[in-house]
Amino acid sequence: MTSNRHILLSHPAPLGLIVAMGLSGLCPSPAYAQDTESIEQKDSGALDEIVVTAQRRAENLQDVPISVTAFGADEVATARIQSLNDLASRIPGFSVNTFSQSRANPALRGGSSSLTAPGAEQAIGLFIDDVYFGGSGDFEVDLFDVERIEVLKGPQGTLFGRNTTGGTINVVTKTPGQTFESQGEVTLGNYDYFQARAYVAGPLSEKLAGSLAFTSTDRDGTSLNITTGNRVDTLNRASVRGKLAWEASDSLKVVLGLGYSRINETAPARDNLFPNVPVDNQALLATGWVPDDDPRVVQMWTDGSYKSEQWTGSLRISKELANAELLSLTSYRNLRTRELPVPLTGTPVPMFDFGEPRTLDAVSQEIRYISDYSGAFNVVGGVFLYYANESRDINGVFHWEPNAAGALFQSLTFCPLQNPNDIVVSAACRTNYASLFEPGTFRVFQRTRTKSASAFLQGNYKIVDSLTLTLGGRYTYDHKRATGFSSGDPEFFWHPADILVDDSEDWGQFTYRVALDWRATADILLYASRSTGFRSGAYELTQSDPALSSAPVGPEKVLSHEVGFKSRFWDGKAQFNIAAFHAKYTDLQFFVNTGQASVTTNAGQATVKGIEIDAMLAPVDGLTLSAAYSYQKGSSKGIPPEAEIADGTAPAGTIPHTVVLGLDYEYEFANGRALSIHGDFTHKSRYNLEFNDVPQYISGIKSQINASIAYRTAKNIELRLWGKNLTNENVVTYGQDFWFGYYSLPTALANPAVFTETSQPRYADPRTYGITFSAKF
């Protein structure tokens, strides 16, 4: 059988590019679906029906009233999806801003977060084999040994719980069985890239099977730091995962998983962009520093360092009952990171830089009941318990040189001799408070303990054979206790005063889902849903106002409506699905950075509405074309004026237009050998990485192309040539606007371009390419 995989398109692409891709097929093709598993083609040329678990039970893809993008194991391998950032360019409407390895903020359908403190979870929940990853420092993980990746869009507050207001990423890894299998691969690429991966699984006894998976990646840096002479933005990481699957009886199955990973890399590279205005920072100029125009050449005073070790464990016990399945899901995570100051300003002398080592110990227990009644009614329900002990220890260094505006803000905060009407540091402050303008250090330590308990129940009732009503609800109780302190030299932005915090708060929240779906014909489904979700409250000690550090930020809530249409036609060779949604967020949680202050608060509301289209076509045997388009429009109101966020500003990560398209072709020779060509193209229009409209935080993808071509022998030995970001775009994954570290306020006022064109961006990887040799047995 020849399988047809698929890729998605989203947003009108240039006709010439579409034609060129159709002729050449030089782009790798991730598999997309509206639910969970990869799609293959039947011998007849029709697309297979797909069994999915988007509603915590096995269901046909086209029967599920939820919009989901999915990647199967083959698609993950072909597209080299090995991290959350790899996912970001392949999912319409999805984005990730990555400040550093210890801080990532994913966003989808307006659900986003700029909170990064321990206990402040993100708006997108990540689950790997039912192990929860939800904090800002949790997303630097290897994706390997993958069976499928599911991205559920919109709030999943009923079945997946808290902190999934934008959606859920559910990663399922392979489980061993009684059939022996093994595979391995070695990859070489530019920037001295070397990667080795292996997987072996099979029976250990008649009732017991085991598996072991391993990945190790090493790569030189993609940027040159000419201050130290070293390359930065390196890769050096390894992970291993083992599983035991025990069939204790015909009705009782147990799967135990244990994983370990480690990372040892430099800090990310920070470039520098300036208007045509000479800088005023004399300490910087004294080093002989001269700006350069190469985005992959940086001038950081240190290469920085990020190291981490993580252990994960999971235990899944499944008991088959007469008309149901009873599941026990237990998980454990232990994370330890070490991070030297990240040079945020990208300069050969310290200006404002910090590292934020983290620790985490988390355990969860879920009991889930999944019915399989023969009548019109079925139910999924259970309880979920979670405990986490998480800490962050920020160690910062700074130097606000007296001629720069940062020194003026420093003087206005701490020098009583500073005239508030002056726009430069006064001579009296320079003389009598000289230490304010010398290099300093500060520390902000925070520990948050989270206890969470919830109970959920969702039922489906067939009113008639073609009409189904879904009702679900979940109640969640959270308790959080925060302790911490700040100390060190006075710094206006994050350490205006020493603080000592020991406070706790409780929150309770009910979330629900209501859906109605109509099977109009055997191949057409229409549905409408209303669902809610929330992000739990949190503490954030890194605030300019010490009084706010001991005050928690309350929960953020979302109410979402979605209507959708799913269809199959042309004898099952074509599929077209479309969904429209409207999400309203209230009591927004956000971190405000005005350049002179940092504040975390609840305020205002935001709305995001949009359309998502997925299409798939298998016109001939071996060829699959896919296309997806996402449109999102966001706005906000009621934000306090001091936040400097104008009414109408879209939430972070709201991408107006996304296009993902592709082609996948495989030709099998008569002797069992095969030649395959894969590809994908991505376009993302300009959008804000943060909840503001500051130009420095704007990102987008013009035309990014990935490609591969592979030859496979009859004995499943494959050689694949691949390339990622072949257009070599400098995609901004995070921005900074430290204009006040380089320029005085008079210079900036006389040259407004200083405010909008001074930037210290972090970029995604440049063009990379390589060759992979793999074998399966």
Side-chain angles (χ1 to χ4, degrees), residues 52-86:
V52 301
T53 57
Q55 296 189 114
R56 298 295 201 186
R57 65 169 64 248
E59 296 175 288
N60 186 294
L61 160 69
Q62 296 298 94
D63 292 339
V64 178
I66 300 176
S67 176
V68 182
T69 296
F71 301 82
D74 288 343
E75 289 75 21
V76 169
T78 298
R80 296 187 63 80
I81 298 174
Q82 301 180 358
S83 69
L84 193 66
N85 287 325
D86 290 332

Side-chain angles (χ1 to χ4, degrees), residues 601-620:
T601 187
N602 290 99
Q605 64 182 46
T607 58
V608 177
K609 56 186 177 182
I611 297 174
E612 297 160 351
I613 301 174
D614 293 338
M616 208 180 319
L617 178 66
V620 297

Side-chain angles (χ1 to χ4, degrees), residues 230-246:
N230 301 322
R231 301 198 70 88
V232 291
D233 258 339
T234 61
L235 284 179
N236 186 330
R237 53 185 62 189
S239 298
V240 63
R241 179 184 296 113
K243 282 189 177 183
L244 291 174
W246 177 39

Side-chain angles (χ1 to χ4, degrees), residues 55 64-66 458-461 463 467-472 512-518 526-531 562:
Q55 296 189 114
V64 178
I66 300 176
Q458 178 169 298
N460 301 325
Y461 178 71
I463 302 172
L467 189 66
T468 301
L469 175 67
T470 300
L471 294 174
Y512 65 87
R513 172 178 169 81
V514 181
L516 188 66
D517 61 86
W518 175 45
L526 294 93
Y527 69 88
S529 67
R530 175 186 173 102
S531 56
E562 180 176 331

Side-chain angles (χ1 to χ4, degrees), residues 437-508:
F437 317 111
E438 296 174 354
T441 62
F442 65 89
R443 181 186 181 193
V444 182
F445 176 84
Q446 179 178 343
R447 180 180 302 279
T448 301
R449 295 174 176 86
T450 300
K451 297 177 182 178
S452 180
S454 62
F456 60 94
L457 185 68
Q458 178 169 298
N460 301 325
Y461 178 71
K462 284 192 174 183
I463 302 172
V464 296
D465 284 345
S466 61
L467 189 66
T468 301
L469 175 67
T470 300
L471 294 174
R474 187 183 193 114
Y475 182 79
T476 302
Y477 167 79
D478 282 350
H479 171 83
K480 293 189 178 182
R481 180 187 177 191
T483 58
F485 64 88
S486 70
S487 61
D489 299 314
E491 196 280 326
F492 73 91
F493 192 74
W494 266 11
H495 184 234
D498 288 350
I499 61 172
L500 184 64
V501 172
D502 187 345
D503 192 59
S504 64
E505 186 62 78
D506 300 331
W507 296 278

Side-chain angles (χ1 to χ4, degrees), residues 9 24 176 213 392 459 491 759:
L9 160 69
S24 66
R392 178 176 67 174
E491 196 280 326
S759 179

Side-chain angles (χ1 to χ4, degrees), residues 70 92 95 100 237 308 375 440 490 746 772:
S95 68
S100 66
R237 53 185 62 189
S308 74
T772 299

